[in-house]
Amino acid sequence: MTTTTTVASPEEIHDRTRSVLATRIGDAFTDVPSDADLQQALGERYDSLTAMECISAVESEFGIEVDFVADDVRFWFSSVERMVRFTHERLEDTAALGLGS
């Protein structure tokens, strides 16, 4: 008997990601478009430490693991849209391999 793991929709991932980032970054994040480069949009508020905190928060929120060597985190975590795509693909891979909970 096989079980099907339901992967969160990109829309749900988007909403949850924005919520997690808003908690980490604060009010400055509210008006940042999802396709905006976070470093350009937020300047010093999205420094390397904040980026690391956001990556950790996304990992925790979705139960995924980011490989800082194999995954191009500077690319994938530069905008909300890219984070959503990365997270959705990671969740799909996990479900396809039967590694989900």
Side-chain angles (χ1 to χ4, degrees), residues 1-43:
M1 180 172 148
T2 60
T3 58
T4 304
T5 303
T6 303
V7 175
S9 70
E11 294 80 14
E12 179 185 345
I13 294 169
H14 176 270
D15 293 345
R16 288 170 60 187
T17 299
R18 285 202 67 92
S19 177
V20 165
L21 296 182
T23 299
R24 293 290 184 263
I25 299 169
D27 292 339
F29 179 70
T30 304
D31 295 325
V32 174
S34 293
D35 63 344
D37 181 280
L38 295 172
Q39 177 63 50
Q40 289 179 358
L42 297 167

